[in-house]
Amino acid sequence: MQAAASKVREKRRFMLLPLALALAVRCVGLSHEVEGRYYLDEGTYYHHASEINAGRMLRFSFVYPHLVYYLDAVALWMASLFPGTVKAWAGAVGVEDPLGVSWLLLRGVVALLSALTVIPVYRIAERLGGSTLAGAAAGLLVTVRGRGYRWR
């Protein structure tokens, strides 16, 4: 019984490496040009999340996935519960503007969701490959494989 439990703990620990790397890779550039508002997608997400928090729950936009609107609304609502902590965190990465802080939070939601894709990829590869090494390799590939790269 203890051997099986330690094996499960070992597998979980082995999965933490690609997961931690994925979080680091995705969070490293989170504040890049957030205050310049060069990418206006955040404005759309911010608008819908703010509308949801204002009580208008049903969104009639079909441009972006709705789950992200609702997750963004939760993130903004949670940030409103801890304004000092959020301001200190944003200040640590160089974002001072209140709207920039909100956009930073919205980017954080997407970064977290994309990093969490390592978990199912790891588990599927582990099952198909029959080892934790296959899972870790697949998790690392998801982490470093970008849309702009071509693997030949």
Side-chain angles (χ1 to χ4, degrees):
M1 179 97 169
Q2 285 183 338
S6 75
K7 192 172 184 177
V8 168
R9 280 194 300 272
E10 178 186 328
K11 284 183 178 185
R12 286 185 184 155
R13 263 196 308 251
F14 208 54
M15 184 172 46
L16 288 179
L17 173 68
L19 183 61
L21 183 62
L23 278 169
V25 165
R26 281 151 178 85
C27 290
V28 106
L30 221 55
S31 63
H32 179 71
E33 296 182 344
V34 76
E35 289 184 326
R37 294 179 187 77
Y38 301 109
Y39 304 105
L40 297 179
D41 287 348
E42 284 98 345
T44 302
Y45 287 110
Y46 178 77
H47 166 74
H48 287 289
S50 298
E51 291 291 308
I52 291 166
N53 283 341
R56 294 178 282 285
M57 299 295 284
L58 187 58
R59 308 309 311 146
F60 293 107
S61 169
F62 295 100
V63 177
Y64 296 107
H66 284 77
L67 175 63
V68 179
Y69 293 157
Y70 294 104
L71 293 175
D72 286 344
V74 169
L76 292 177
W77 171 74
M78 288 179 64
S80 72
L81 298 177
F82 307 101
T85 305
V86 171
K87 186 176 180 181
W89 169 69
V93 294
V95 178
E96 301 292 331
D97 176 42
L99 187 59
V101 172
S102 296
W103 285 27
L104 184 66
L105 287 168
L106 302 183
R107 287 181 179 187
V109 169
V110 174
L112 179 63
L113 290 175
S114 65
L116 289 176
T117 60
V118 166
I119 295 171
V121 168
Y122 178 95
R123 297 297 303 257
I124 290 168
E126 180 185 44
R127 182 169 286 180
L128 292 176
S131 72
T132 55
L133 183 60
L140 289 172
L141 277 175
V142 168
T143 298
V144 299
R145 175 76 169 96
R147 284 179 46 187
Y149 303 110
R150 292 196 121 184
W151 294 62
R152 296 179 193 237

